[in-house]
Coordinates of all heavy atoms in Angstrom, one line a residue:
M1 N 0.9 -1.2 0.0 CA 0.0 0.0 0.0 C 0.9 1.2 0.0 O 1.7 1.3 0.8 CB -0.9 0.0 1.3 CG -1.9 1.1 1.4 SD -2.9 0.6 2.7 CE -4.3 1.4 2.2
S2 N 0.7 2.2 -0.9 CA 1.5 3.3 -1.0 C 0.9 4.5 -0.1 O -0.2 4.5 0.1 CB 1.7 3.8 -2.5 OG 0.4 4.2 -2.9
A3 N 1.9 5.3 0.4 CA 1.5 6.5 1.1 C 0.7 7.5 0.2 O 1.0 7.7 -0.9 CB 2.6 7.2 1.8
P4 N -0.3 8.2 0.8 CA -0.9 9.2 0.0 C -0.1 10.3 -0.4 O 0.9 10.7 0.4 CB -2.2 9.7 0.9 CG -1.8 9.2 2.2 CD -0.8 8.1 2.1
S5 N -0.2 10.9 -1.5 CA 0.6 12.0 -2.0 C 0.3 13.2 -1.1 O -0.8 13.4 -0.5 CB 0.4 12.4 -3.4 OG -1.0 12.8 -3.6
A6 N 1.3 14.1 -0.9 CA 1.2 15.3 -0.2 C 0.1 16.1 -0.5 O -0.1 16.4 -1.8 CB 2.5 16.1 -0.1
G7 N -0.8 16.5 0.3 CA -2.0 17.4 0.0 C -3.1 16.7 -0.6 O -4.1 17.3 -1.0
A8 N -3.0 15.4 -0.7 CA -4.2 14.6 -1.2 C -5.4 14.9 -0.3 O -5.4 14.7 0.8 CB -3.8 13.2 -1.3
G9 N -6.6 15.2 -1.0 CA -7.7 15.3 -0.2 C -7.9 16.6 0.5 O -8.9 16.8 1.2
L10 N -7.0 17.5 0.4 CA -7.0 18.8 1.1 C -7.5 19.9 0.1 O -7.2 19.9 -1.1 CB -5.7 19.2 1.6 CG -5.1 18.3 2.7 CD1 -3.6 18.8 3.0 CD2 -5.9 18.2 3.9
A11 N -8.3 20.8 0.6 CA -8.7 21.9 -0.2 C -7.6 22.8 -0.5 O -6.6 23.0 0.3 CB -9.8 22.6 0.5
P12 N -7.5 23.5 -1.7 CA -6.4 24.4 -1.9 C -6.4 25.6 -0.8 O -7.5 25.9 -0.3 CB -6.8 25.0 -3.3 CG -8.3 24.7 -3.4 CD -8.6 23.6 -2.6
P13 N -5.3 26.1 -0.7 CA -5.2 27.2 0.4 C -6.1 28.4 0.0 O -6.3 28.7 -1.2 CB -3.7 27.7 0.4 CG -3.3 27.2 -0.9 CD -4.1 25.9 -1.4
D14 N -6.6 29.0 1.1 CA -7.4 30.3 0.8 C -6.5 31.4 0.1 O -5.3 31.5 0.4 CB -7.9 30.8 2.1 CG -9.0 30.1 2.7 OD1 -9.6 29.4 1.9 OD2 -9.3 30.2 3.9
P15 N -7.2 32.2 -0.7 CA -6.5 33.3 -1.2 C -6.1 34.3 -0.1 O -6.5 34.2 1.0 CB -7.4 34.0 -2.2 CG -8.7 33.5 -1.7 CD -8.6 32.1 -1.1
V16 N -5.3 35.2 -0.4 CA -4.8 36.2 0.5 C -6.1 36.9 1.1 O -6.9 37.3 0.4 CB -3.9 37.4 -0.1 CG1 -3.5 38.4 0.9 CG2 -2.7 36.7 -0.7
P17 N -6.1 36.9 2.5 CA -7.3 37.5 3.1 C -7.5 39.0 2.7 O -6.5 39.7 2.6 CB -7.1 37.4 4.6 CG -6.0 36.4 4.8 CD -5.2 36.4 3.5
G18 N -8.7 39.4 2.6 CA -9.0 40.7 2.2 C -10.5 41.0 2.2 O -11.3 40.1 2.5
P19 N -11.0 42.2 1.9 CA -12.4 42.5 1.9 C -13.1 41.6 0.9 O -12.4 41.2 -0.2 CB -12.5 43.9 1.6 CG -11.1 44.4 1.1 CD -10.1 43.3 1.5
G20 N -14.3 41.3 1.0 CA -15.0 40.5 0.1 C -16.0 39.6 0.8 O -16.0 39.6 2.1
P21 N -16.9 39.0 0.0 CA -18.0 38.2 0.7 C -17.4 37.1 1.6 O -18.0 36.8 2.5 CB -18.8 37.8 -0.5 CG -17.9 37.9 -1.8 CD -16.9 39.0 -1.4
R22 N -16.3 36.5 1.1 CA -15.8 35.4 2.0 C -15.2 35.8 3.2 O -15.1 35.1 4.2 CB -14.7 34.6 1.1 CG -14.2 33.4 1.8 CD -13.3 32.7 0.9 NE -12.9 31.4 1.7 CZ -12.5 30.4 1.1 NH1 -12.6 30.3 -0.3 NH2 -12.1 29.3 1.8
H23 N -14.6 37.0 3.3 CA -13.8 37.4 4.4 C -14.6 38.6 5.2 O -14.0 39.2 6.1 CB -12.4 37.9 4.1 CG -11.6 36.8 3.5 ND1 -11.1 35.8 4.2 CD2 -11.4 36.5 2.2 CE1 -10.5 34.9 3.5 NE2 -10.7 35.4 2.3
G24 N -15.8 39.0 4.8 CA -16.5 40.1 5.5 C -16.1 41.5 5.0 O -15.3 41.6 4.0
P25 N -16.7 42.5 5.5 CA -16.4 43.8 5.1 C -14.9 44.2 5.4 O -14.3 43.6 6.3 CB -17.4 44.7 5.9 CG -17.7 43.8 7.1 CD -17.5 42.4 6.7
A26 N -14.5 45.3 4.7 CA -13.2 45.8 4.9 C -13.0 46.2 6.4 O -14.0 46.7 7.0 CB -12.9 47.0 4.0
R27 N -11.9 46.0 7.0 CA -11.6 46.3 8.3 C -11.3 47.8 8.5 O -10.8 48.5 7.6 CB -10.4 45.6 8.9 CG -10.7 44.1 9.0 CD -9.6 43.4 9.6 NE -9.9 42.0 9.5 CZ -9.1 41.0 9.4 NH1 -7.8 41.3 9.3 NH2 -9.5 39.7 9.3
R28 N -11.7 48.3 9.7 CA -11.4 49.8 10.0 C -10.1 49.9 10.4 O -9.4 49.0 11.0 CB -12.3 50.3 11.1 CG -13.8 50.3 10.8 CD -14.6 50.8 12.0 NE -16.0 50.7 11.6 CZ -16.9 50.0 12.2 NH1 -16.7 49.2 13.1 NH2 -18.2 50.0 11.8
P29 N -9.4 51.1 10.1 CA -8.1 51.3 10.5 C -7.9 51.2 12.0 O -8.8 51.5 12.8 CB -7.7 52.7 10.1 CG -8.7 53.1 9.1 CD -9.9 52.2 9.3
A30 N -6.8 50.6 12.5 CA -6.7 50.4 13.9 C -6.9 51.5 14.8 O -7.3 51.4 16.0 CB -5.3 49.7 14.2
G31 N -6.4 52.7 14.4 CA -6.5 54.0 15.2 C -7.7 54.8 15.1 O -7.8 55.9 15.6
S32 N -8.7 54.3 14.3 CA -9.8 55.1 14.0 C -10.8 55.2 15.3 O -10.8 54.2 16.1 CB -10.6 54.5 12.9 OG -11.4 53.4 13.3
P33 N -11.5 56.3 15.5 CA -12.3 56.4 16.7 C -13.4 55.3 16.7 O -13.8 54.9 17.7 CB -12.9 57.8 16.5 CG -12.0 58.5 15.6 CD -11.4 57.5 14.8
T34 N -13.8 54.9 15.5 CA -14.9 53.9 15.4 C -14.3 52.5 16.0 O -15.0 51.7 16.6 CB -15.5 53.8 14.0 OG1 -15.9 55.1 13.6 CG2 -16.6 52.9 14.0
A35 N -13.1 52.3 15.5 CA -12.5 51.0 15.9 C -12.3 51.0 17.5 O -12.5 49.9 18.2 CB -11.1 50.8 15.3
L36 N -11.9 52.1 18.1 CA -11.8 52.2 19.5 C -13.2 52.0 20.2 O -13.3 51.3 21.2 CB -11.2 53.6 19.9 CG -10.9 53.7 21.4 CD1 -9.9 52.7 21.9 CD2 -10.4 55.1 21.6
A37 N -14.2 52.6 19.7 CA -15.6 52.4 20.2 C -16.0 50.9 20.1 O -16.7 50.4 20.9 CB -16.6 53.3 19.5
D38 N -15.6 50.3 19.0 CA -15.9 48.9 18.8 C -15.3 48.0 19.9 O -15.9 47.1 20.4 CB -15.4 48.3 17.5 CG -16.2 48.9 16.3 OD1 -17.4 49.4 16.5 OD2 -15.9 48.7 15.1
L39 N -14.1 48.5 20.2 CA -13.3 47.7 21.3 C -13.8 48.0 22.8 O -14.1 47.0 23.5 CB -11.8 48.1 21.2 CG -10.9 47.4 22.3 CD1 -10.8 46.0 22.1 CD2 -9.5 48.1 22.1
L40 N -14.0 49.2 23.0 CA -14.3 49.6 24.4 C -15.8 49.8 24.7 O -16.2 49.8 25.7 CB -13.6 51.0 24.7 CG -12.1 51.0 24.8 CD1 -11.6 52.4 25.0 CD2 -11.5 50.0 25.7
G41 N -16.5 50.1 23.6 CA -17.9 50.6 23.7 C -18.0 52.1 23.6 O -17.0 52.8 24.0
R42 N -18.9 52.6 23.0 CA -19.0 54.1 22.8 C -18.9 54.9 24.0 O -18.0 55.9 23.9 CB -20.2 54.4 22.0 CG -20.3 55.9 21.4 CD -21.5 56.3 20.7 NE -21.6 55.2 19.6 CZ -22.7 55.1 18.9 NH1 -23.8 55.9 19.1 NH2 -22.9 54.2 18.0
P43 N -19.5 54.6 25.0 CA -19.4 55.5 26.2 C -18.0 55.6 26.7 O -17.5 56.6 27.1 CB -20.3 54.9 27.3 CG -21.4 54.1 26.5 CD -20.6 53.6 25.3
R44 N -17.3 54.4 26.9 CA -15.9 54.4 27.4 C -15.0 55.1 26.5 O -14.1 55.7 26.8 CB -15.5 52.9 27.7 CG -16.2 52.4 28.9 CD -15.7 51.1 29.3 NE -16.6 50.6 30.3 CZ -17.1 49.4 30.4 NH1 -16.8 48.5 29.4 NH2 -17.9 49.0 31.3
A45 N -15.2 54.8 25.1 CA -14.3 55.5 24.2 C -14.5 57.1 24.2 O -13.5 57.8 24.1 CB -14.7 55.1 22.7
R46 N -15.7 57.6 24.5 CA -16.0 58.9 24.6 C -15.3 59.5 25.9 O -14.6 60.5 25.9 CB -17.4 59.2 24.7 CG -18.1 59.2 23.3 CD -19.6 59.4 23.3 NE -19.7 60.9 23.6 CZ -20.8 61.4 24.1 NH1 -21.9 60.6 24.4 NH2 -20.9 62.7 24.3
I47 N -15.4 58.8 27.0 CA -14.7 59.2 28.3 C -13.2 59.2 28.0 O -12.5 60.2 28.4 CB -15.2 58.2 29.4 CG1 -16.6 58.5 29.8 CG2 -14.1 58.5 30.6 CD1 -17.1 57.5 30.7
L48 N -12.6 58.2 27.4 CA -11.2 58.2 27.2 C -10.8 59.4 26.4 O -9.8 60.0 26.5 CB -10.8 56.8 26.5 CG -9.3 56.5 26.5 CD1 -8.8 56.5 28.0 CD2 -9.1 55.1 25.7
A49 N -11.6 59.7 25.3 CA -11.2 60.9 24.4 C -11.2 62.1 25.2 O -10.4 63.0 25.1 CB -12.2 60.9 23.2
L50 N -12.2 62.3 26.1 CA -12.3 63.5 27.0 C -11.1 63.6 27.9 O -10.8 64.7 28.4 CB -13.7 63.6 27.7 CG -14.9 63.8 26.8 CD1 -16.1 63.7 27.6 CD2 -14.9 65.1 26.1
L51 N -10.6 62.5 28.3 CA -9.6 62.5 29.3 C -8.1 62.9 28.8 O -7.1 62.6 29.5 CB -9.6 61.2 30.1 CG -10.8 61.2 31.0 CD1 -10.8 59.8 31.8 CD2 -10.9 62.3 32.1
A52 N -8.2 63.4 27.7 CA -6.8 64.0 27.2 C -6.5 65.1 28.1 O -5.3 65.5 28.2 CB -7.0 64.5 25.7
E53 N -7.5 65.8 28.8 CA -7.3 66.8 29.8 C -7.9 66.2 31.1 O -8.9 65.4 31.0 CB -8.1 68.0 29.4 CG -7.7 68.7 28.1 CD -6.2 69.2 28.2 OE1 -5.8 69.7 29.4 OE2 -5.5 69.2 27.3
P54 N -7.3 66.5 32.2 CA -8.0 66.0 33.5 C -9.4 66.2 33.6 O -9.9 67.3 33.2 CB -7.1 66.7 34.6 CG -5.8 67.1 33.9 CD -6.3 67.4 32.5
G55 N -10.2 65.4 34.2 CA -11.6 65.5 34.4 C -12.1 64.8 35.6 O -11.5 63.7 36.1
S56 N -13.1 65.3 36.2 CA -13.7 64.6 37.5 C -15.0 63.9 37.0 O -15.4 64.1 35.8 CB -14.1 65.7 38.4 OG -15.2 66.4 37.9
T57 N -15.4 62.9 37.9 CA -16.6 62.2 37.6 C -17.8 63.1 37.3 O -18.5 63.0 36.3 CB -16.9 61.2 38.8 OG1 -15.8 60.5 39.0 CG2 -18.0 60.3 38.5
T58 N -17.9 64.1 38.2 CA -19.1 65.0 38.0 C -18.9 65.8 36.7 O -19.9 66.0 36.0 CB -19.1 66.0 39.2 OG1 -19.2 65.2 40.4 CG2 -20.3 66.9 39.1
G59 N -17.8 66.3 36.4 CA -17.6 67.1 35.1 C -17.7 66.2 33.9 O -18.4 66.7 32.9
L60 N -17.3 65.0 33.9 CA -17.5 64.1 32.8 C -19.0 63.8 32.7 O -19.6 63.8 31.6 CB -16.7 62.9 32.9 CG -15.2 62.9 32.8 CD1 -14.5 61.8 33.3 CD2 -14.8 63.3 31.4
A61 N -19.7 63.5 33.7 CA -21.1 63.3 33.7 C -21.9 64.4 33.1 O -22.8 64.2 32.3 CB -21.6 62.9 35.1
H62 N -21.5 65.6 33.5 CA -22.3 66.8 33.0 C -21.9 66.9 31.5 O -22.9 67.2 30.7 CB -21.7 68.1 33.7 CG -22.3 69.4 33.3 ND1 -23.6 69.7 33.5 CD2 -21.8 70.3 32.5 CE1 -23.9 70.8 33.0 NE2 -22.8 71.2 32.3
R63 N -20.7 66.7 31.0 CA -20.4 66.9 29.6 C -21.1 65.8 28.7 O -21.4 66.1 27.6 CB -18.9 66.8 29.4 CG -18.1 68.1 29.9 CD -16.7 68.0 29.7 NE -16.4 68.2 28.3 CZ -15.2 68.2 27.8 NH1 -14.2 68.0 28.6 NH2 -14.9 68.4 26.5
L64 N -21.2 64.6 29.4 CA -21.8 63.5 28.6 C -23.3 63.4 28.9 O -24.0 62.7 28.0 CB -21.2 62.2 29.0 CG -19.7 62.1 28.7 CD1 -19.1 60.9 29.4 CD2 -19.5 62.1 27.2
G65 N -23.9 64.1 29.7 CA -25.3 64.0 29.9 C -25.8 62.8 30.5 O -26.9 62.3 30.3
V66 N -24.9 62.1 31.4 CA -25.3 60.9 32.0 C -25.1 61.0 33.5 O -24.5 62.0 34.1 CB -24.5 59.7 31.5 CG1 -24.8 59.4 30.0 CG2 -23.0 59.9 31.7
S67 N -25.5 60.0 34.3 CA -25.3 60.1 35.8 C -23.8 60.0 36.2 O -23.1 59.4 35.5 CB -26.2 59.1 36.4 OG -25.7 57.8 36.2
T68 N -23.6 60.5 37.3 CA -22.2 60.3 37.9 C -21.9 58.8 38.2 O -20.8 58.4 38.0 CB -22.0 61.1 39.2 OG1 -23.0 60.8 40.1 CG2 -22.0 62.6 38.8
G69 N -22.9 58.1 38.6 CA -22.8 56.6 38.8 C -22.4 55.9 37.5 O -21.5 55.1 37.5
T70 N -23.0 56.2 36.5 CA -22.6 55.7 35.1 C -21.2 56.0 34.8 O -20.3 55.1 34.4 CB -23.6 56.1 34.0 OG1 -24.9 55.7 34.3 CG2 -23.1 55.6 32.6
V71 N -20.8 57.2 34.9 CA -19.4 57.6 34.6 C -18.4 56.9 35.6 O -17.4 56.4 35.2 CB -19.2 59.1 34.7 CG1 -17.7 59.6 34.6 CG2 -20.0 59.8 33.6
S72 N -18.8 56.8 36.8 CA -17.9 56.2 37.8 C -17.7 54.7 37.5 O -16.5 54.3 37.6 CB -18.5 56.3 39.1 OG -17.7 55.6 40.2
R73 N -18.7 54.0 37.0 CA -18.5 52.6 36.6 C -17.6 52.4 35.4 O -16.7 51.6 35.4 CB -19.9 51.9 36.3 CG -20.7 51.6 37.6 CD -21.8 50.7 37.3 NE -22.8 51.3 36.4 CZ -23.7 52.2 36.8 NH1 -23.8 52.5 38.1 NH2 -24.6 52.8 36.0
H74 N -17.7 53.3 34.4 CA -16.9 53.3 33.2 C -15.4 53.7 33.6 O -14.6 53.1 33.2 CB -17.4 54.3 32.2 CG -18.7 53.8 31.5 ND1 -18.8 52.6 30.9 CD2 -19.8 54.4 31.3 CE1 -20.0 52.4 30.4 NE2 -20.7 53.5 30.5
L75 N -15.3 54.7 34.5 CA -14.0 55.0 34.9 C -13.3 53.9 35.7 O -12.1 53.7 35.5 CB -14.0 56.3 35.7 CG -14.3 57.6 35.0 CD1 -14.5 58.7 36.1 CD2 -13.1 58.0 34.1
G76 N -14.0 53.2 36.5 CA -13.5 52.0 37.1 C -12.9 51.0 36.3 O -11.8 50.4 36.4
V77 N -13.7 50.7 35.2 CA -13.2 49.7 34.2 C -11.9 50.2 33.4 O -11.0 49.5 33.3 CB -14.4 49.4 33.2 CG1 -13.8 48.6 31.9 CG2 -15.6 48.8 33.8
L78 N -12.0 51.5 33.0 CA -10.8 52.1 32.4 C -9.6 52.1 33.2 O -8.5 51.8 32.8 CB -11.2 53.5 31.8 CG -12.2 53.6 30.8 CD1 -12.7 55.0 30.5 CD2 -11.7 52.9 29.5
H79 N -9.9 52.4 34.5 CA -8.7 52.4 35.5 C -8.1 51.1 35.7 O -6.9 50.8 35.7 CB -9.2 53.0 36.8 CG -8.0 53.2 37.8 ND1 -7.8 52.3 38.8 CD2 -7.1 54.2 37.9 CE1 -6.8 52.8 39.5 NE2 -6.3 53.8 38.9
R80 N -9.0 50.1 35.9 CA -8.5 48.7 36.0 C -7.8 48.2 34.9 O -6.8 47.3 34.9 CB -9.7 47.7 36.4 CG -10.2 47.9 37.9 CD -11.2 46.8 38.2 NE -12.3 46.7 37.4 CZ -13.4 47.5 37.6 NH1 -13.4 48.4 38.5 NH2 -14.4 47.4 36.7
A81 N -8.1 48.6 33.6 CA -7.5 48.2 32.4 C -6.2 49.0 32.2 O -5.5 48.7 31.2 CB -8.4 48.4 31.2
G82 N -6.0 50.0 33.0 CA -4.7 50.8 32.9 C -4.8 51.8 31.9 O -3.7 52.4 31.4
L83 N -5.9 52.3 31.4 CA -6.1 53.2 30.4 C -6.2 54.6 31.0 O -6.1 55.6 30.3 CB -7.3 52.9 29.5 CG -7.2 51.6 28.8 CD1 -8.5 51.3 28.1 CD2 -6.1 51.5 27.9
V84 N -6.5 54.8 32.3 CA -6.6 56.0 32.9 C -5.9 56.1 34.3 O -5.8 55.0 34.9 CB -8.1 56.6 33.1 CG1 -8.8 56.8 31.8 CG2 -8.9 55.7 34.0
T85 N -5.4 57.1 34.7 CA -4.9 57.3 36.1 C -5.8 58.2 36.9 O -6.6 58.9 36.2 CB -3.5 57.9 36.0 OG1 -3.5 59.3 35.4 CG2 -2.6 57.0 35.2
R86 N -5.7 58.2 38.1 CA -6.4 59.1 39.0 C -5.6 59.7 40.1 O -4.7 59.0 40.5 CB -7.7 58.4 39.5 CG -7.4 57.2 40.4 CD -8.6 56.5 40.9 NE -8.4 55.3 41.6 CZ -9.2 54.3 41.6 NH1 -10.4 54.3 41.1 NH2 -8.8 53.2 42.2
A87 N -5.9 60.9 40.5 CA -5.1 61.6 41.5 C -6.1 62.4 42.4 O -6.9 63.1 41.7 CB -4.1 62.5 40.9
R88 N -6.0 62.3 43.6 CA -6.8 63.0 44.5 C -6.2 64.5 44.7 O -5.0 64.6 44.9 CB -7.0 62.3 45.9 CG -7.8 63.0 46.8 CD -8.2 62.2 48.0 NE -9.0 61.1 47.7 CZ -10.4 61.1 47.5 NH1 -11.0 62.3 47.6 NH2 -11.0 60.0 47.3
H89 N -7.1 65.5 44.7 CA -6.7 66.8 44.9 C -7.8 67.4 45.9 O -8.8 67.8 45.6 CB -6.7 67.7 43.7 CG -5.8 67.3 42.6 ND1 -4.5 67.8 42.7 CD2 -5.9 66.4 41.6 CE1 -3.8 67.2 41.7 NE2 -4.6 66.4 41.0
G90 N -7.5 67.2 47.2 CA -8.4 67.5 48.3 C -9.6 66.5 48.1 O -9.4 65.3 48.2
H91 N -10.8 67.1 48.1 CA -12.0 66.3 47.9 C -12.3 65.8 46.4 O -13.1 65.0 46.3 CB -13.2 66.9 48.5 CG -13.2 67.2 49.9 ND1 -13.2 66.1 50.9 CD2 -13.0 68.3 50.7 CE1 -13.1 66.7 52.0 NE2 -13.0 68.0 52.0
L92 N -11.5 66.3 45.6 CA -11.7 66.0 44.2 C -10.7 65.0 43.7 O -9.6 65.0 43.9 CB -11.5 67.3 43.4 CG -11.8 67.4 42.0 CD1 -13.4 67.1 41.7 CD2 -11.3 68.8 41.3
V93 N -11.4 64.1 42.9 CA -10.5 63.0 42.2 C -10.5 63.4 40.7 O -11.5 63.4 40.1 CB -11.0 61.6 42.4 CG1 -10.2 60.5 41.7 CG2 -11.0 61.3 43.9
L94 N -9.3 63.6 40.2 CA -9.2 63.8 38.7 C -8.6 62.6 38.0 O -7.8 61.9 38.4 CB -8.3 65.1 38.5 CG -8.8 66.3 39.0 CD1 -7.9 67.5 38.7 CD2 -10.1 66.7 38.4
Y95 N -9.2 62.4 36.9 CA -8.8 61.3 36.0 C -8.1 61.8 34.8 O -8.4 63.0 34.3 CB -10.0 60.5 35.6 CG -10.7 59.7 36.8 CD1 -11.5 60.3 37.6 CD2 -10.3 58.4 37.0 CE1 -12.2 59.6 38.6 CE2 -10.9 57.7 38.0 CZ -11.8 58.4 38.8 OH -12.4 57.7 39.9
L96 N -7.1 61.1 34.2 CA -6.4 61.5 33.0 C -6.0 60.3 32.3 O -5.7 59.2 33.0 CB -5.2 62.3 33.4 CG -4.3 62.8 32.3 CD1 -5.1 63.9 31.6 CD2 -3.0 63.4 32.9
R97 N -6.0 60.3 30.9 CA -5.5 59.2 30.2 C -4.1 58.8 30.6 O -3.2 59.6 30.8 CB -5.4 59.4 28.7 CG -6.8 59.3 28.1 CD -6.7 59.1 26.5 NE -5.8 60.1 26.0 CZ -6.2 60.9 25.0 NH1 -7.4 60.9 24.4 NH2 -5.3 61.8 24.4
S98 N -3.8 57.5 30.8 CA -2.4 57.0 31.1 C -1.7 56.9 29.7 O -2.3 57.1 28.6 CB -2.5 55.6 31.6 OG -3.1 54.7 30.7
P99 N -0.4 56.7 29.8 CA 0.4 56.5 28.5 C -0.3 55.4 27.6 O -0.4 55.6 26.4 CB 1.8 56.2 28.9 CG 2.0 56.8 30.3 CD 0.5 56.7 31.0
L100 N -0.8 54.3 28.2 CA -1.4 53.3 27.5 C -2.7 53.8 26.8 O -3.0 53.6 25.7 CB -1.7 52.0 28.3 CG -2.3 50.9 27.7 CD1 -1.5 50.3 26.5 CD2 -2.6 49.7 28.7
G101 N -3.4 54.6 27.5 CA -4.6 55.2 27.1 C -4.4 56.1 25.9 O -5.1 56.2 24.9
D102 N -3.2 56.9 26.1 CA -2.9 57.8 25.0 C -2.6 57.0 23.7 O -2.9 57.4 22.6 CB -1.6 58.6 25.4 CG -2.0 59.7 26.3 OD1 -3.1 60.2 26.4 OD2 -1.0 60.2 27.0
Q103 N -1.8 55.9 23.9 CA -1.5 55.0 22.7 C -2.7 54.6 22.0 O -2.7 54.5 20.8 CB -0.5 53.9 23.1 CG 0.8 54.3 23.5 CD 1.7 53.2 23.8 OE1 1.2 52.2 24.4 NE2 3.0 53.3 23.6
L104 N -3.6 54.0 22.8 CA -4.8 53.5 22.3 C -5.7 54.5 21.6 O -6.4 54.2 20.6 CB -5.6 52.8 23.4 CG -6.7 51.9 23.0 CD1 -6.2 50.7 22.1 CD2 -7.5 51.2 24.2
S105 N -5.7 55.7 22.1 CA -6.4 56.8 21.5 C -5.9 57.5 20.3 O -6.5 58.2 19.6 CB -6.8 57.9 22.5 OG -7.4 57.3 23.6
A106 N -4.5 57.2 20.0 CA -3.8 57.8 18.9 C -4.3 57.4 17.6 O -4.8 56.3 17.4 CB -2.4 57.6 19.1

């Protein structure tokens, strides 16, 4: 009994991946705001964008038109992920994008 020839019974290799019906729609550029929103979710991406300058939970909530509790939860996730830093100034806690958050936002 002879050994099967190399590649016998295997489908030909896929063509180079790219946009089209077999590979789905064209991908968004990695640094696009929409790609960041796809990764983080729109609310967290907006908060991260606003934190190019220091901001408080209350200030961010006012700018975004949402509750402070909602902003606080999002900031907690961003902080645990290392995307924002926080510093206390008296009774005020200010958040700012970390170097990693800056890279992701670029």
